[in-house]
Amino acid sequence: DSNRCAPTGPDVGGAAVRAYITHDPVIVTGSTFTNNVCSNGGGLSSIDASWTVQHSTFTGNQAIGTGANPPAKGTPGGGSGGAIYNDGRHMHLSLVDSTLTNNSANEGGGAIFFVSDDRTGTMSITGSRLVGNPSAGFETAGLPGIYFLGAHKPTIRNSVLKP
C-alpha cells in the first residue's frame, strides 16, 4: 500500500513489485495493491517476465510518467500501466479471478499495459473485473483500460471490462 518509485522514465516501474528477465512466471496470489505510484506499473511492472496473477485486487494505482515508451520528444517518458505493466519478449500475462478498479495511466493502459516487442506475448483474463481504469493517452479499441500489443487478441472469459 502507498509504495512509490521514480516518477519518470520509459522503463522505470513497479512501485510495489518489479520483475526483470525471468524464465518462469512470477506468481501473485491473494494479494492487494492499493495507491501505489510510479512512472509505469504502479502495482506490478516487468521487463521480459511473465505474470500469473490470481485472486488479487488492484485499486487506486497510478502510472504518472509522461511521454510513453519510447519517450515522445521533449518528455522524460513513462506513464503506462496504472496497475500492471508488461514489456519485453516471450511473455504471458494470466489474470484470474482478480479485480482492477480505479487505477489510472497518463499514457496507455489505466489497468494493464502489455507490449510484446517480438509479438509473441499473450494475455488471458478469466473471471476478472476491470472497471474504471482510465488511460489518458491511449488504449486498445474494445478493451477499456488496456493497451495490448502481442501475438493475437487477448483471451477474455467470464470477465467484465468497463470504462
Side-chain angles (χ1 to χ4, degrees):
D1 183 24
S2 300
N3 297 290
R4 302 286 183 265
C5 69
T8 60
D11 281 327
V12 176
V17 179
R18 171 78 162 180
Y20 186 74
I21 308 177
T22 63
H23 297 287
D24 295 322
V26 177
I27 299 171
V28 176
T29 302
S31 299
T32 300
F33 300 88
T34 56
N35 302 318
N36 300 294
V37 178
C38 192
S39 180
N40 298 290
L44 307 176
S45 174
S46 64
I47 302 290
D48 285 339
S50 294
W51 296 96
T52 298
V53 178
Q54 50 199 11
H55 310 289
S56 294
T57 301
F58 297 77
T59 305
N61 301 289
Q62 300 175 51
I64 61 168
T66 56
N69 184 4
K73 187 174 181 170
T75 71
S80 296
I84 301 172
Y85 177 91
N86 277 126
D87 192 5
R89 303 167 291 125
H90 311 295
M91 59 191 187
H92 178 74
L93 170 62
S94 175
L95 185 67
V96 180
D97 297 330
S98 295
T99 301
L100 284 71
T101 55
N102 301 318
N103 303 286
S104 63
N106 282 343
E107 298 297 343
I112 300 170
F113 176 88
F114 185 102
V115 171
S116 173
D117 297 331
D118 62 0
R119 306 304 185 266
T120 61
T122 60
M123 180 168 65
S124 63
I125 300 172
T126 305
S128 296
R129 183 174 172 82
L130 286 72
V131 177
N133 300 292
S135 309
F138 52 90
E139 56 190 36
T140 301
L143 298 174
I146 298 173
Y147 180 73
F148 178 83
L149 186 57
H152 49 76
K153 289 175 130 179
T155 302
I156 301 172
R157 293 184 183 99
N158 302 321
S159 296
V160 173
L161 279 68
K162 289 185 180 179

